[in-house]
Structure formats: structure tokens, C-alpha cells
Amino acid sequence: METKDYLDHLEAEAIHIMLEVAGQFERPALLFSGGKDSICLVHLAQKAFKPGKFPFPLVHIDTGHNFPEALDFRDQLVDNIGEKLIVRKVEDTIRKRKLVDASGKFPSRNALQTYTLLDTIEEFEFDVCIGGARRDEEKARAKERIFSVRDDFGQWNPKKQRPEIWDTYNGRINKGENVRAFPISNWTELDIWNYIEREEIELPNIYFTHNRQVVQTDNGQLMAYSEYLNLDDSDHIREGRVRYRTVGDMTCTAAVVSEAHTVRDIIEEIKIAKISERGATRMDDRISEAAMEDRKKNGYF
């Protein structure tokens, strides 16, 4: 009963934040990746706004290195709920801006997708983007407010965060600025999975144990074998029984060895996990101690 009451509180808070976004801004959007957190956001938006239409489109910044399962689920979900989906591709931004694509054995486009996101915000004149970031994921995200202001260059300054007292959210912005709003910022990974179990939310099968060809990195991480990797003869490709705790690009998201076939199995796994989901699986966060914060300052999600 205690878990249910706590989830009710988190759900009510998230819905309240979405309603604040709809009430305070003229051109909102919901950033959607096909991952569990953004899927929960869509579920919460349905509770907030149905049977009416969402007051915002779903926006996917497609890096071109996505897991096919996530893209298939994205399209199926959008078709089921009948909402608008806007897709903008990093590949197009690379050509348009003459950017240099990532190199190396595991080339990530996370830095490049910031350009696509900022171009999309400018194209549609979005004044707020709802995202699924949570404070427990990474220390830079722990610095964010629920309404996190970006300047007219799309940049984030952690030293210029507004106070949010008694759940009062200040959406006032100057021309050219925009806000990132995080309705599930106070949720943890375990909260997400407890909510998924309670609400019986469907997810891509990539989150559950399956057989997959993987490549082991020097750090011991298991990367999905794909056409996007730049492997050499020293790399060993093998079959593994794995699942994904978080879903990003195939080139920078590691799998974990697991036999979790159900949501309840995953919950029990998380209870004894000693490393955060991003710490265990996101290669791009290991570039430096401030890797995520540097990307966020430049306009990342």
C-alpha cells in the first residue's frame, strides 16, 4: 500500500507539471525517444489530457543509430494513441551544416544531435520541451530544476537556476529563450519500473532478456553488434543473454547480462544493483567527469 501511495504522489506531481506546461506556454513539445522514461511521459500525458488531444506533438531526434526495436515501438505507440509525431534526423543536420560525423570504434552522435534539437526548436518555435530526464540518473541532471531555462542560444547555465518553492514553476521567458520541463525529475529508476508494473505499460522487448550479438569493450561493457561500429580483427563478436537498462544509440549504450523476463524480475534486479543505469551502460558519459554537464550546457536534452 505504501508503494501505491508513493506512486500516486509521483503521478499527481507529474500530471500537475504537464498541466502547468500546457497552461504557461504557447508552443510545447514532448521529446520522445522510444525509451521507458518517454513512454511513461506519454502514459502520463494520456491521463492528463485524454479524451482530448495532446496540446503538443511528440518530437523524436533520430540519430540514425537507434535500436530497431525502439523505432518500431515508437511508430506503433504513435499509431495507437493517434497523436502527432515529428521526426528530425541528425543525418540531415550533418549534411546541411557540413558537420563531421563521429569516428572511433563506437561512434556516438550524442554531441551532434544537439544541433538537430536546437534546429527543430527554432523550426517549430517551441518555447518548452518536455523531457524524461531524472535527477537520479547523473549528477549534472541533479542540478536541473523542473522548469530549466535555456538562453537564446539554447544553452544551459547551472548557476542561473530559478527557485521552485512549494511546487511553483516560473515559465516566464524572454524572446528566443526556451524551457526544458522534467515532469519525472523526482522519480528514480525503481519508481519508473514500479509504475510500469502498476500501470501495465507496454515497452520495447529490448528491456527484457533476449539473445543478441555483442562486442565486449576494453572496459568490459557489452555493446550491441551493428553496422555502425568500426571494428577490427581483434574484436570478438559473441552471442549473449542480455537486456538494456536504458536505450540510447546502439553505438554508446551497453547491455547487461540478465535473465529478467518480466517487469517484476527487473524490479528485483534493480533493488540489488550497485551501479546506476547510466553509469553501467552509457559509454558517452565516461568521456570525462563532466561529460553530461558539458553536453547540457551546449543544448543537450
Side-chain angles (χ1 to χ4, degrees):
M1 188 65 179
E2 290 181 2
T3 299
K4 184 178 186 299
D5 290 344
Y6 182 53
L7 292 177
D8 285 342
H9 170 77
L10 290 175
E11 179 187 74
E13 178 188 55
I15 290 173
H16 169 66
I17 292 166
M18 285 195 171
L19 294 173
E20 285 291 307
V21 168
Q24 292 195 44
F25 297 92
E26 295 181 2
R27 292 178 177 271
L30 191 154
L31 300 176
F32 184 77
S33 66
K36 67 183 187 306
D37 298 315
S38 59
I39 291 170
C40 282
L41 285 180
V42 170
H43 184 81
L44 290 161
Q46 288 180 291
K47 290 200 169 191
F49 302 110
K50 290 297 184 182
K53 300 288 287 184
F54 289 179
F56 41 70
L58 309 186
V59 176
H60 182 212
I61 304 302
D62 184 352
T63 64
H65 291 172
N66 300 283
F67 286 93
E69 296 95 328
L71 293 182
D72 291 343
F73 189 91
R74 176 200 71 184
D75 294 340
Q76 175 188 332
L77 177 62
V78 170
D79 185 59
N80 288 343
I81 65 175
E83 297 294 340
K84 182 180 180 180
L85 171 68
I86 295 170
V87 178
R88 289 296 180 267
K89 299 184 177 182
V90 172
E91 194 74 45
D92 294 336
T93 306
I94 292 172
R95 287 195 295 267
K96 178 183 175 182
R97 288 177 170 263
K98 296 182 171 55
L99 301 175
V100 178
D101 207 346
S103 59
K105 186 171 291 188
F106 303 100
S108 170
R109 285 180 169 173
N110 265 352
L112 298 180
Q113 69 177 322
T114 297
Y115 293 98
T116 309
L117 174 61
L118 295 179
D119 286 349
T120 304
I121 290 172
E122 183 178 4
E123 177 186 355
F124 293 96
E125 298 181 343
F126 293 134
D127 52 2
V128 60
C129 293
I130 301 169
R134 307 189 323 270
R135 290 189 176 120
D136 78 316
E137 291 180 282
E138 204 274 341
K139 58 187 178 183
R141 286 183 164 169
K143 296 179 181 180
E144 296 260 26
R145 298 293 191 263
I146 300 294
F147 277 16
S148 183
V149 179
R150 264 52 173 187
D151 64 22
D152 51 359
F153 294 102
Q155 297 178 325
W156 172 67
N157 186 342
K159 295 181 179 180
K160 292 185 177 180
Q161 293 288 290
R162 297 170 176 174
E164 292 178 337
I165 304 170
W166 302 306
D167 297 332
T168 301
Y169 307 111
N170 181 1
R172 184 184 302 173
I173 54 175
N174 299 315
K175 185 175 177 57
E177 295 177 337
N178 65 84
V179 168
R180 309 292 166 81
F182 302 112
I184 58 172
S185 185
N186 292 328
W187 299 40
T188 66
E189 182 186 14
L190 187 57
D191 295 332
I192 290 288
W193 283 104
N194 279 325
Y195 189 70
I196 288 168
E197 181 182 51
R198 189 185 86 170
E199 300 292 305
E200 300 181 344
I201 298 172
E202 292 187 22
L203 296 174
N205 57 19
I206 196 171
Y207 282 107
F208 304 95
T209 296
H210 58 287
N211 292 322
R212 196 177 206 101
Q213 287 188 310
V214 294
V215 181
Q216 186 166 323
T217 70
D218 294 339
N219 292 325
Q221 292 179 302
L222 300 176
M223 309 302 294
Y225 173 65
S226 74
E227 62 185 298
Y228 311 122
L229 305 185
N230 299 315
L231 304 180
D232 54 44
D233 294 339
S234 66
D235 293 302
H236 177 61
I237 303 167
R238 66 178 178 85
E239 190 91 359
R241 295 278 293 165
V242 299
R243 73 175 190 86
Y244 290 85
R245 287 176 70 181
T246 180
V247 177
D249 276 3
M250 297 181 74
T251 51
C252 65
T253 307
V256 294
V257 175
S258 174
E259 286 297 334
H261 297 278
T262 67
V263 174
R264 175 47 49 180
D265 292 340
I266 292 172
I267 289 171
E268 296 305 318
E269 259 192 15
I270 294 171
K271 286 180 178 179
I272 61 174
K274 296 182 179 179
I275 304 177
S276 69
E277 58 190 300
R278 292 191 69 95
T281 64
R282 293 303 285 270
M283 182 180 291
D284 48 327
D285 287 347
R286 296 190 176 192
I287 296 172
S288 74
E289 283 292 316
M292 171 65 82
E293 183 160 330
D294 290 342
R295 293 200 304 276
K296 291 180 74 63
K297 286 179 179 178
N298 290 328
Y300 187 68
F301 296 7

Coordinates of all heavy atoms in Angstrom, one line a residue, residues 81-151:
I81 N -2.1 5.8 -30.2 CA -2.7 6.9 -29.4 C -3.2 8.0 -30.4 O -3.9 8.9 -29.9 CB -1.7 7.5 -28.4 CG1 -0.5 8.1 -29.2 CG2 -1.2 6.4 -27.5 CD1 0.5 8.8 -28.2
G82 N -2.9 7.9 -31.7 CA -3.4 8.9 -32.6 C -2.9 10.3 -32.4 O -3.6 11.3 -32.7
E83 N -1.7 10.5 -31.9 CA -1.1 11.8 -31.8 C 0.0 12.1 -32.8 O 0.4 11.2 -33.6 CB -0.4 11.9 -30.4 CG -1.4 11.8 -29.2 CD -2.4 12.9 -29.1 OE1 -2.1 14.0 -29.7 OE2 -3.5 12.8 -28.5
K84 N 0.3 13.4 -32.9 CA 1.3 13.8 -34.0 C 2.7 13.5 -33.6 O 3.1 13.8 -32.4 CB 1.1 15.3 -34.2 CG 2.0 15.9 -35.3 CD 1.8 17.4 -35.5 CE 2.7 17.9 -36.6 NZ 2.5 19.4 -36.8
L85 N 3.5 13.0 -34.5 CA 4.9 12.7 -34.3 C 5.7 13.5 -35.3 O 5.5 13.4 -36.5 CB 5.2 11.2 -34.4 CG 6.7 10.8 -34.4 CD1 7.3 11.1 -33.0 CD2 6.9 9.4 -34.9
I86 N 6.7 14.3 -34.8 CA 7.7 15.0 -35.6 C 9.0 14.3 -35.5 O 9.5 14.1 -34.4 CB 7.8 16.5 -35.2 CG1 6.4 17.2 -35.4 CG2 8.9 17.2 -36.0 CD1 6.4 18.6 -34.8
V87 N 9.6 13.9 -36.6 CA 10.9 13.3 -36.6 C 11.9 14.2 -37.4 O 11.6 14.5 -38.5 CB 10.9 11.9 -37.2 CG1 12.3 11.3 -37.2 CG2 9.9 11.0 -36.5
R88 N 13.0 14.5 -36.7 CA 14.1 15.2 -37.4 C 15.4 14.4 -37.3 O 15.6 13.9 -36.2 CB 14.2 16.6 -36.9 CG 13.1 17.5 -37.3 CD 13.0 17.7 -38.8 NE 12.0 18.6 -39.2 CZ 10.8 18.3 -39.5 NH1 10.5 16.9 -39.5 NH2 9.9 19.1 -39.9
K89 N 16.1 14.3 -38.4 CA 17.3 13.3 -38.4 C 18.6 14.0 -38.3 O 18.8 15.0 -39.0 CB 17.2 12.5 -39.7 CG 15.9 11.7 -39.8 CD 15.9 10.8 -41.0 CE 14.6 9.9 -41.0 NZ 14.6 9.0 -42.2
V90 N 19.5 13.5 -37.5 CA 20.8 14.0 -37.3 C 21.6 13.9 -38.7 O 22.4 14.8 -39.0 CB 21.6 13.2 -36.2 CG1 23.0 13.6 -36.2 CG2 20.9 13.5 -34.9
E91 N 21.3 12.9 -39.4 CA 21.9 12.7 -40.7 C 21.7 13.9 -41.6 O 22.6 14.4 -42.3 CB 21.4 11.4 -41.4 CG 22.2 10.9 -42.6 CD 23.5 10.3 -42.2 OE1 23.5 9.5 -41.3 OE2 24.5 10.6 -42.9
D92 N 20.5 14.4 -41.6 CA 20.2 15.6 -42.4 C 20.9 16.8 -41.9 O 21.4 17.7 -42.7 CB 18.7 15.9 -42.4 CG 17.9 14.8 -43.1 OD1 18.4 14.1 -43.9 OD2 16.7 14.6 -42.7
T93 N 21.1 16.9 -40.6 CA 21.8 18.1 -40.0 C 23.3 18.0 -40.4 O 23.9 19.0 -40.7 CB 21.7 18.1 -38.5 OG1 20.3 18.0 -38.1 CG2 22.3 19.3 -37.9
I94 N 23.8 16.8 -40.4 CA 25.2 16.6 -40.7 C 25.5 17.2 -42.2 O 26.5 17.9 -42.4 CB 25.7 15.2 -40.6 CG1 25.7 14.7 -39.1 CG2 27.0 14.9 -41.3 CD1 25.9 13.3 -38.9
R95 N 24.6 16.8 -43.1 CA 24.7 17.3 -44.5 C 24.5 18.8 -44.6 O 25.3 19.5 -45.2 CB 23.7 16.5 -45.4 CG 24.1 15.1 -45.6 CD 23.3 14.5 -46.8 NE 21.9 14.4 -46.5 CZ 21.3 13.4 -46.0 NH1 22.0 12.3 -45.7 NH2 20.0 13.4 -45.7
K96 N 23.5 19.2 -43.9 CA 23.1 20.7 -44.0 C 24.2 21.6 -43.4 O 24.5 22.6 -44.0 CB 21.8 20.9 -43.3 CG 21.3 22.3 -43.3 CD 20.0 22.5 -42.5 CE 19.6 23.9 -42.4 NZ 18.3 24.1 -41.6
R97 N 24.7 21.2 -42.3 CA 25.7 22.0 -41.6 C 27.1 21.7 -41.9 O 28.1 22.3 -41.4 CB 25.5 21.9 -40.1 CG 24.2 22.6 -39.5 CD 24.1 22.4 -38.0 NE 23.1 23.2 -37.4 CZ 23.3 24.3 -36.8 NH1 24.6 24.8 -36.7 NH2 22.4 25.0 -36.2
K98 N 27.3 20.6 -42.7 CA 28.6 20.1 -43.1 C 29.4 19.8 -41.8 O 30.6 20.1 -41.6 CB 29.4 21.1 -43.9 CG 28.8 21.4 -45.3 CD 29.6 22.4 -46.1 CE 29.1 22.5 -47.5 NZ 27.7 22.8 -47.7
L99 N 28.7 19.0 -40.9 CA 29.4 18.6 -39.7 C 30.2 17.4 -39.9 O 30.0 16.6 -40.9 CB 28.3 18.3 -38.6 CG 27.3 19.4 -38.3 CD1 26.3 18.9 -37.3 CD2 28.1 20.6 -37.6
V100 N 31.1 17.1 -39.1 CA 32.0 15.9 -39.1 C 31.4 14.8 -38.3 O 31.2 15.0 -37.1 CB 33.4 16.2 -38.7 CG1 34.3 14.9 -38.7 CG2 34.1 17.3 -39.5
D101 N 31.0 13.7 -38.9 CA 30.4 12.6 -38.1 C 31.4 12.0 -37.1 O 32.6 12.2 -37.3 CB 30.0 11.5 -39.1 CG 28.8 10.7 -38.5 OD1 28.5 10.8 -37.3 OD2 28.1 10.0 -39.3
A102 N 30.9 11.4 -36.1 CA 31.7 10.8 -35.1 C 32.6 9.7 -35.7 O 32.2 9.0 -36.6 CB 30.9 10.3 -33.9
S103 N 33.8 9.5 -35.1 CA 34.7 8.5 -35.5 C 35.0 7.6 -34.3 O 34.4 7.7 -33.3 CB 36.0 9.1 -36.1 OG 36.6 9.9 -35.1
G104 N 35.9 6.7 -34.5 CA 36.3 5.7 -33.5 C 35.5 4.4 -33.6 O 34.7 4.2 -34.4
K105 N 35.8 3.5 -32.7 CA 35.3 2.2 -32.8 C 33.8 2.2 -32.5 O 33.0 1.5 -33.1 CB 36.0 1.2 -31.8 CG 35.5 -0.2 -31.9 CD 36.5 -1.1 -31.1 CE 37.8 -1.2 -31.7 NZ 38.7 -2.2 -31.0
F106 N 33.4 3.0 -31.5 CA 32.0 3.1 -31.1 C 31.5 4.6 -31.3 O 31.4 5.4 -30.3 CB 31.8 2.7 -29.6 CG 32.3 1.3 -29.4 CD1 33.5 1.1 -28.8 CD2 31.5 0.2 -29.7 CE1 34.0 -0.2 -28.6 CE2 32.0 -1.1 -29.5 CZ 33.2 -1.3 -28.9
P107 N 31.3 5.0 -32.5 CA 31.0 6.4 -32.8 C 29.6 6.9 -32.3 O 28.6 6.4 -32.8 CB 31.1 6.5 -34.3 CG 30.7 5.1 -34.8 CD 31.2 4.2 -33.7
S108 N 29.6 7.8 -31.3 CA 28.3 8.3 -30.8 C 27.9 9.6 -31.5 O 28.8 10.5 -31.7 CB 28.4 8.5 -29.3 OG 27.3 9.2 -28.8
R109 N 26.7 9.8 -31.8 CA 26.2 11.1 -32.3 C 25.5 11.9 -31.3 O 24.8 12.9 -31.6 CB 25.2 10.8 -33.5 CG 25.9 10.3 -34.8 CD 24.9 10.0 -35.9 NE 25.6 9.9 -37.1 CZ 25.0 9.5 -38.3 NH1 23.7 9.2 -38.3 NH2 25.7 9.3 -39.4
N110 N 25.7 11.6 -30.0 CA 25.0 12.4 -29.0 C 25.4 13.9 -29.0 O 24.5 14.7 -28.8 CB 25.4 11.9 -27.6 CG 24.4 10.9 -27.1 OD1 23.3 10.7 -27.7 ND2 24.7 10.2 -26.0
A111 N 26.6 14.2 -29.3 CA 27.0 15.6 -29.4 C 26.3 16.3 -30.6 O 25.9 17.4 -30.6 CB 28.5 15.8 -29.5
L112 N 26.2 15.5 -31.7 CA 25.7 16.1 -33.0 C 24.2 16.3 -32.9 O 23.6 17.2 -33.5 CB 26.0 15.2 -34.2 CG 27.5 15.1 -34.5 CD1 27.7 14.2 -35.7 CD2 28.2 16.4 -34.7
Q113 N 23.5 15.4 -32.1 CA 22.0 15.6 -32.0 C 21.6 16.9 -31.4 O 20.5 17.3 -31.6 CB 21.4 14.4 -31.4 CG 21.6 14.2 -29.9 CD 20.9 13.0 -29.3 OE1 19.8 12.7 -29.7 NE2 21.6 12.4 -28.4
T114 N 22.5 17.5 -30.6 CA 22.2 18.8 -30.1 C 21.9 19.8 -31.2 O 20.9 20.6 -31.0 CB 23.3 19.3 -29.2 OG1 23.5 18.4 -28.1 CG2 23.0 20.7 -28.6
Y115 N 22.6 19.8 -32.2 CA 22.4 20.7 -33.4 C 21.0 20.5 -33.9 O 20.3 21.4 -34.2 CB 23.4 20.5 -34.5 CG 24.8 20.9 -34.1 CD1 25.8 19.9 -33.7 CD2 25.3 22.2 -34.2 CE1 27.1 20.3 -33.3 CE2 26.6 22.6 -33.9 CZ 27.5 21.6 -33.4 OH 28.7 22.0 -33.1
T116 N 20.6 19.2 -34.1 CA 19.3 18.9 -34.7 C 18.2 19.3 -33.8 O 17.2 19.8 -34.2 CB 19.2 17.3 -34.9 OG1 20.4 16.9 -35.7 CG2 18.0 17.0 -35.7
L117 N 18.4 19.1 -32.5 CA 17.4 19.5 -31.5 C 17.2 21.0 -31.5 O 16.0 21.5 -31.6 CB 17.8 19.1 -30.1 CG 16.9 19.6 -29.0 CD1 15.4 19.1 -29.1 CD2 17.4 19.2 -27.6
L118 N 18.3 21.8 -31.5 CA 18.2 23.3 -31.5 C 17.6 23.8 -32.8 O 16.8 24.7 -32.8 CB 19.5 23.9 -31.2 CG 20.2 23.6 -29.9 CD1 21.5 24.3 -29.7 CD2 19.2 24.0 -28.7
D119 N 17.9 23.1 -33.9 CA 17.3 23.5 -35.2 C 15.8 23.2 -35.2 O 15.0 24.0 -35.8 CB 18.0 22.7 -36.4 CG 19.4 23.2 -36.7 OD1 19.8 24.3 -36.2 OD2 20.1 22.5 -37.4
T120 N 15.4 22.1 -34.6 CA 14.0 21.7 -34.5 C 13.2 22.7 -33.7 O 12.1 23.1 -34.0 CB 13.8 20.3 -34.0 OG1 14.6 19.4 -34.8 CG2 12.4 19.9 -34.0
I121 N 13.8 23.1 -32.5 CA 13.2 24.1 -31.7 C 13.0 25.4 -32.4 O 11.9 26.0 -32.3 CB 14.0 24.3 -30.4 CG1 14.0 23.1 -29.5 CG2 13.5 25.5 -29.6 CD1 14.9 23.1 -28.3
E122 N 14.0 25.8 -33.2 CA 13.9 27.0 -34.0 C 12.8 26.9 -35.1 O 12.0 27.8 -35.3 CB 15.2 27.4 -34.5 CG 15.2 28.7 -35.3 CD 16.6 29.1 -35.8 OE1 17.5 28.3 -35.6 OE2 16.7 30.2 -36.4
E123 N 12.8 25.7 -35.8 CA 11.9 25.5 -36.9 C 10.5 25.6 -36.5 O 9.7 26.3 -37.2 CB 12.2 24.1 -37.5 CG 11.2 23.7 -38.6 CD 11.4 22.3 -39.1 OE1 12.4 21.6 -38.6 OE2 10.6 21.9 -40.0
F124 N 10.1 25.0 -35.3 CA 8.7 25.0 -34.9 C 8.4 26.0 -33.8 O 7.3 26.1 -33.3 CB 8.4 23.6 -34.4 CG 8.3 22.5 -35.5 CD1 9.5 21.8 -35.7 CD2 7.2 22.4 -36.3 CE1 9.5 20.8 -36.7 CE2 7.2 21.4 -37.3 CZ 8.3 20.6 -37.5
E125 N 9.4 26.8 -33.4 CA 9.3 27.9 -32.4 C 8.8 27.3 -31.1 O 8.0 27.9 -30.4 CB 8.4 29.0 -32.9 CG 9.0 29.7 -34.2 CD 8.1 30.8 -34.7 OE1 6.9 30.9 -34.3 OE2 8.6 31.6 -35.5
F126 N 9.3 26.1 -30.7 CA 8.9 25.6 -29.4 C 9.4 26.4 -28.3 O 10.6 26.8 -28.3 CB 9.5 24.2 -29.3 CG 8.9 23.1 -30.2 CD1 9.7 22.3 -30.9 CD2 7.5 23.1 -30.4 CE1 9.1 21.3 -31.8 CE2 6.9 22.1 -31.3 CZ 7.8 21.3 -32.0
D127 N 8.6 26.8 -27.4 CA 9.1 27.5 -26.2 C 9.3 26.7 -25.0 O 9.9 27.1 -24.0 CB 8.1 28.7 -25.9 CG 6.7 28.3 -25.7 OD1 6.4 27.1 -25.8 OD2 5.8 29.2 -25.5
V128 N 8.9 25.4 -25.0 CA 9.2 24.4 -24.0 C 9.2 23.0 -24.6 O 8.4 22.7 -25.4 CB 8.2 24.5 -22.8 CG1 6.8 24.2 -23.3 CG2 8.5 23.6 -21.7
C129 N 10.2 22.3 -24.1 CA 10.3 20.8 -24.5 C 10.2 20.0 -23.2 O 11.1 20.1 -22.3 CB 11.6 20.6 -25.2 SG 11.7 21.4 -26.8
I130 N 9.3 19.1 -23.2 CA 9.1 18.2 -22.1 C 10.1 17.0 -22.3 O 10.1 16.4 -23.3 CB 7.7 17.7 -22.0 CG1 6.7 18.8 -21.8 CG2 7.5 16.7 -20.8 CD1 5.2 18.4 -22.0
G131 N 10.9 16.7 -21.3 CA 11.8 15.6 -21.4 C 11.7 14.6 -20.2 O 11.1 14.9 -19.2
G132 N 12.3 13.5 -20.4 CA 12.2 12.4 -19.4 C 13.4 12.3 -18.5 O 13.5 11.2 -17.9
A133 N 14.2 13.3 -18.4 CA 15.4 13.2 -17.5 C 14.9 13.1 -16.1 O 13.9 13.7 -15.6 CB 16.3 14.5 -17.7
R134 N 15.8 12.4 -15.3 CA 15.5 12.2 -13.9 C 16.8 12.6 -13.1 O 17.9 12.3 -13.6 CB 15.1 10.7 -13.6 CG 14.0 10.2 -14.4 CD 13.5 8.8 -13.9 NE 14.6 8.0 -13.4 CZ 15.3 7.2 -14.2 NH1 15.0 7.0 -15.4 NH2 16.3 6.5 -13.6
R135 N 16.6 13.1 -11.9 CA 17.8 13.6 -11.1 C 18.7 12.4 -10.7 O 19.9 12.6 -10.4 CB 17.3 14.4 -9.9 CG 16.7 15.7 -10.3 CD 16.4 16.6 -9.0 NE 15.9 17.9 -9.4 CZ 14.7 18.4 -9.0 NH1 13.9 17.6 -8.3 NH2 14.4 19.6 -9.4
D136 N 18.1 11.2 -10.5 CA 18.9 10.1 -10.0 C 19.9 9.5 -11.1 O 20.7 8.7 -10.8 CB 18.1 9.0 -9.5 CG 17.4 8.1 -10.5 OD1 16.9 8.7 -11.5 OD2 17.4 6.9 -10.4
E137 N 19.7 10.0 -12.4 CA 20.4 9.4 -13.5 C 21.9 9.8 -13.5 O 22.8 9.0 -13.7 CB 19.8 9.8 -14.8 CG 18.5 9.2 -15.1 CD 18.0 9.6 -16.5 OE1 17.5 10.8 -16.6 OE2 18.1 8.9 -17.4
E138 N 22.2 11.1 -13.2 CA 23.5 11.6 -13.4 C 23.6 12.9 -12.6 O 22.6 13.6 -12.5 CB 23.7 11.8 -14.9 CG 25.2 11.8 -15.3 CD 25.8 13.2 -15.2 OE1 25.1 14.2 -15.1 OE2 27.1 13.2 -15.2
K139 N 24.8 13.3 -12.1 CA 24.9 14.4 -11.2 C 24.6 15.7 -11.9 O 24.1 16.7 -11.3 CB 26.3 14.5 -10.7 CG 27.5 14.5 -11.7 CD 28.8 14.4 -11.0 CE 30.0 14.4 -12.0 NZ 31.3 14.2 -11.3
A140 N 24.9 15.9 -13.2 CA 24.5 17.1 -13.9 C 23.0 17.3 -14.0 O 22.5 18.4 -13.8 CB 25.1 17.1 -15.3
R141 N 22.3 16.2 -14.2 CA 20.8 16.2 -14.2 C 20.2 16.5 -12.8 O 19.1 17.0 -12.7 CB 20.2 14.9 -14.8 CG 20.5 14.9 -16.3 CD 19.9 13.6 -16.9 NE 19.8 13.8 -18.4 CZ 19.5 12.9 -19.2 NH1 19.3 11.7 -18.8 NH2 19.4 13.1 -20.5
A142 N 21.0 16.2 -11.8 CA 20.5 16.5 -10.4 C 20.5 18.0 -10.2 O 19.9 18.5 -9.2 CB 21.4 15.8 -9.4
K143 N 21.2 18.8 -11.0 CA 21.3 20.2 -10.8 C 20.1 21.0 -11.5 O 19.9 22.1 -11.2 CB 22.6 20.8 -11.4 CG 23.9 20.3 -10.8 CD 25.1 20.9 -11.5 CE 26.4 20.5 -10.8 NZ 27.5 21.1 -11.5
E144 N 19.4 20.2 -12.3 CA 18.3 20.8 -13.1 C 17.1 21.1 -12.2 O 16.8 20.4 -11.2 CB 17.8 19.9 -14.2 CG 18.8 19.6 -15.2 CD 18.6 20.4 -16.5 OE1 18.0 21.5 -16.4 OE2 19.1 20.0 -17.5
R145 N 16.4 22.2 -12.5 CA 15.1 22.5 -11.9 C 14.0 21.7 -12.7 O 14.3 21.2 -13.8 CB 14.8 24.0 -11.9 CG 15.7 24.8 -11.0 CD 15.6 24.4 -9.5 NE 16.3 25.4 -8.7 CZ 17.5 25.2 -8.2 NH1 18.1 24.1 -8.5 NH2 18.1 26.1 -7.5
I146 N 12.8 21.7 -12.3 CA 11.7 21.1 -13.1 C 11.5 21.9 -14.4 O 11.4 21.4 -15.4 CB 10.4 21.1 -12.3 CG1 10.5 20.3 -11.0 CG2 9.2 20.6 -13.1 CD1 10.8 18.8 -11.2
F147 N 11.5 23.3 -14.2 CA 11.5 24.2 -15.4 C 12.9 24.7 -15.5 O 13.3 25.5 -14.7 CB 10.5 25.3 -15.2 CG 9.1 25.0 -15.5 CD1 8.6 23.7 -15.6 CD2 8.2 26.1 -15.7 CE1 7.3 23.5 -15.9 CE2 6.8 25.8 -16.0 CZ 6.4 24.5 -16.1
S148 N 13.6 24.2 -16.5 CA 15.0 24.6 -16.7 C 15.2 25.5 -17.9 O 14.9 25.0 -19.0 CB 15.9 23.3 -16.9 OG 17.2 23.5 -17.0
V149 N 15.6 26.7 -17.7 CA 15.6 27.7 -18.7 C 16.9 27.6 -19.6 O 18.0 27.4 -19.1 CB 15.6 29.1 -18.1 CG1 15.6 30.2 -19.2 CG2 14.3 29.3 -17.3
R150 N 16.7 27.7 -20.9 CA 17.8 27.8 -21.9 C 17.8 29.2 -22.5 O 16.7 29.8 -22.7 CB 17.6 26.8 -23.0 CG 18.3 25.4 -22.8 CD 18.1 24.7 -21.5 NE 18.7 23.4 -21.5 CZ 18.5 22.5 -20.6 NH1 17.8 22.8 -19.5 NH2 19.1 21.3 -20.7
D151 N 19.0 29.7 -22.7 CA 19.1 31.0 -23.3 C 18.8 31.0 -24.8 O 18.4 30.0 -25.3 CB 20.4 31.7 -23.0 CG 21.6 31.0 -23.7 OD1 21.4 30.2 -24.7 OD2 22.8 31.1 -23.2

